[in-house]
Amino acid sequence: MANVVVFTENYPYRCFTEGVFVKPDLEALCQEFERIIVVPLWQSGPLEAINLPKVELDTSLAESALTLHKALRLPHLLSRFSLKKLPQIFKESPLRRLHKGAFYAMNASVALSLVKKILKRRDLRPDNTLLYTFWFNHLAQACAYLHNKDGYKMVGRAHGYDVYENLGTYRPPCLRKMALDAYEALYAVSRKTQQYLQHTYPDYADIIQLRYLGSLRPGNFITHAHKPEEKALTFFSCSRVIDIKNLVLNLEVVTEMAKINPGLSIKWIHVGDGPLLDSLRSQAKEKMKSCSNLKIELTGPLPNDKVTDIYRTEKIDWTMLFSTSEGLGIALVESISYGVPALITRTGGMPEVINDTCGIVFSPHSTSQEIAKTLTSRLSETEWYSTLKFNASQRWLQCFQAIKLRQSFAKELRCKYKET
């Protein structure tokens, strides 16, 4: 019996975004493996039903007291795993990051102790199981230990925040290399991510491969746009409300569009939650007070079917994503699937999705005035815009259709697994 263990960060705890990434993989894996065991790392809300045959859920890692309470994890600083790695971490890590490197090893040690129990309890052996880390986080080191000690095969994906060293958690290079030594393949979700990893870890260039995630298109429809005579423009965005998503620029762009186009009704819909949402709402209220033709809807988090409803029921003219760092930008992939052109900055993997055939690509340093001026200058070009809409949906069909991409990926994972 061929088994695959899929380690996620939150899914299927409610997290909205990760489910969009993971669910198509699970659907495809059901065609290639007899058992798929989903193991989330963290709790992030209520559990949502997966409702797929062959898929089992194990929440013991996320619900463990060791995961929930940092103080209980501290003894793992002295575990065999940590003590073996700490000298290397201290040697290669900057002084200001030593404690972060030690805690990273501690978290990997904790995960290792809990994953061992999951594998034993479910009779998941090296000869019948493939380990699949959906993110390049400390679970990769836990699985690498199991590869080295017991012979488990492992594969993984690498996105954006889990890759770039200037974002999020400090990840000691020796532990990254430990995982790379063990991976059958590490699949980057964008060419930009692949190139960064290959440049940073050149000895592992051959196993760092590109596999796009793509997106589904529920309902198989194309989103309507406003006609010129309607004198209206609607902008849409979907992301976490955090610094790197640069949503203040979205706000400034729509405000500038309203100011220089007083005869147009300008609307911005943003879906997503995050620590900066309250601040963004406050700023949006002030902007709407100063522009009578500007309407802003900050919906907060929505499940994916509700996002689909927005694409179905709203007339959306443009999607915006101006992140200062981005793996690929799954929101852009979803956007073009519905035939909605996008405004982006040339950052991360975003230009791999959007080019000048299906959107407008700006410099990372573009101002809201420059973006609004460029867009306004082309509002009368209806034939150009219609071509963008058509090209957007065609680009999705050709390059980012998730069912096709994930089926091929699942077959590849099955080839990595060999039942003995």
Side-chain angles (χ1 to χ4, degrees), residues 95-158:
L95 184 62
R96 60 187 174 84
R97 288 185 162 185
L98 285 180
H99 68 291
K100 294 182 179 180
F103 284 136
Y104 189 85
M106 174 192 75
N107 288 334
S109 176
V110 169
L112 171 61
S113 67
L114 296 171
V115 170
K116 281 181 178 179
K117 293 177 181 178
I118 292 171
L119 299 178
K120 183 176 181 180
R121 184 170 63 249
R122 292 180 173 271
D123 192 29
L124 299 169
R125 307 182 308 276
D127 65 345
N128 69 3
T129 302
L130 178 69
L131 306 180
Y132 171 20
T133 60
F134 200 82
W135 302 86
F136 194 21
N137 55 21
H138 63 265
L139 278 166
Q141 283 73 46
C143 292
Y145 180 93
L146 294 168
H147 164 83
N148 295 336
K149 182 176 183 295
D150 300 318
Y152 284 92
K153 289 191 173 183
M154 59 182 283
V155 296
R157 286 196 187 268

Side-chain angles (χ1 to χ4, degrees), residues 93-374:
S93 299
L95 184 62
R96 60 187 174 84
R97 288 185 162 185
L98 285 180
H99 68 291
K100 294 182 179 180
F103 284 136
Y104 189 85
M106 174 192 75
N107 288 334
S109 176
V110 169
L112 171 61
S113 67
L114 296 171
V115 170
K116 281 181 178 179
K117 293 177 181 178
I118 292 171
L119 299 178
K120 183 176 181 180
R121 184 170 63 249
R122 292 180 173 271
D123 192 29
L124 299 169
R125 307 182 308 276
D127 65 345
N128 69 3
T129 302
L130 178 69
L131 306 180
Y132 171 20
T133 60
F134 200 82
W135 302 86
F136 194 21
N137 55 21
H138 63 265
L139 278 166
Q141 283 73 46
C143 292
Y145 180 93
L146 294 168
H147 164 83
N148 295 336
K149 182 176 183 295
D150 300 318
Y152 284 92
K153 289 191 173 183
M154 59 182 283
V155 296
R157 286 196 187 268
H159 301 254
Y161 99 93
D162 56 336
V163 170
Y164 297 110
E165 301 302 335
N166 62 327
L167 299 176
T169 305
Y170 171 62
R171 306 166 183 97
C174 65
L175 292 181
R176 293 290 232 186
K177 291 175 183 177
M178 176 186 177
L180 288 165
D181 270 328
Y183 275 128
E184 297 288 315
L186 179 63
Y187 300 104
V189 302
S190 71
R191 191 169 301 282
K192 189 79 172 179
T193 297
Q194 180 191 30
Q195 291 170 345
Y196 175 87
L197 285 168
Q198 289 177 332
H199 175 76
T200 307
Y201 304 102
D203 292 343
Y204 304 95
D206 289 347
I207 66 147
I208 300 169
Q209 301 170 23
L210 172 65
R211 297 293 182 273
Y212 288 126
L213 289 166
S215 72
L216 303 173
R217 185 171 69 183
N220 201 33
F221 61 87
I222 297 296
T223 299
H224 292 293
H226 288 99
K227 297 176 181 178
E229 59 268 25
E230 292 178 278
K231 302 293 183 183
L233 280 178
T234 294
F235 298 84
F236 179 75
S237 54
C238 181
S239 73
R240 289 273 292 155
V241 188
I242 53 179
D243 277 332
I244 64 170
K245 298 302 180 180
N246 203 18
L247 291 168
V248 171
L249 184 55
N250 293 38
L251 177 60
E252 292 173 347
V253 166
V254 296
T255 302
E256 191 67 23
M257 286 296 295
K259 288 179 179 178
I260 65 178
N261 296 281
L264 294 179
S265 295
I266 305 296
K267 182 179 180 181
W268 174 34
I269 303 169
H270 180 76
V271 176
D273 197 2
L276 300 181
L277 181 57
D278 288 342
S279 173
L280 187 64
R281 281 184 170 144
S282 177
Q283 295 175 69
K285 286 180 181 178
E286 293 302 314
K287 298 295 187 184
M288 285 189 284
K289 286 179 183 178
S290 64
C291 299
S292 60
N293 60 328
L294 176 62
K295 182 180 180 181
I296 299 172
E297 295 180 6
L298 305 176
T299 70
L302 293 176
N304 202 50
D305 60 331
K306 298 299 182 184
V307 177
T308 301
D309 287 342
I310 291 174
Y311 277 112
R312 181 185 291 110
T313 59
E314 294 276 353
K315 292 182 178 180
I316 301 175
D317 303 285
W318 295 94
T319 292
M320 299 184 290
L321 189 59
F322 303 128
S323 303
T324 57
S325 179
E326 193 71 51
L328 184 70
I330 200 70
L332 297 174
V333 177
E334 291 183 324
S335 169
I336 62 172
S337 76
Y338 297 113
V340 180
L343 308 173
I344 69 163
T345 46
R346 192 176 290 104
T347 304
M350 293 193 288
E352 297 175 44
V353 182
I354 304 298
N355 55 37
D356 59 7
T357 71
C358 58
I360 305 178
V361 182
F362 294 94
S363 159
H365 308 294
S366 295
T367 65
S368 58
Q369 291 85 359
E370 291 168 340
I371 294 170
K373 183 178 179 180
T374 298

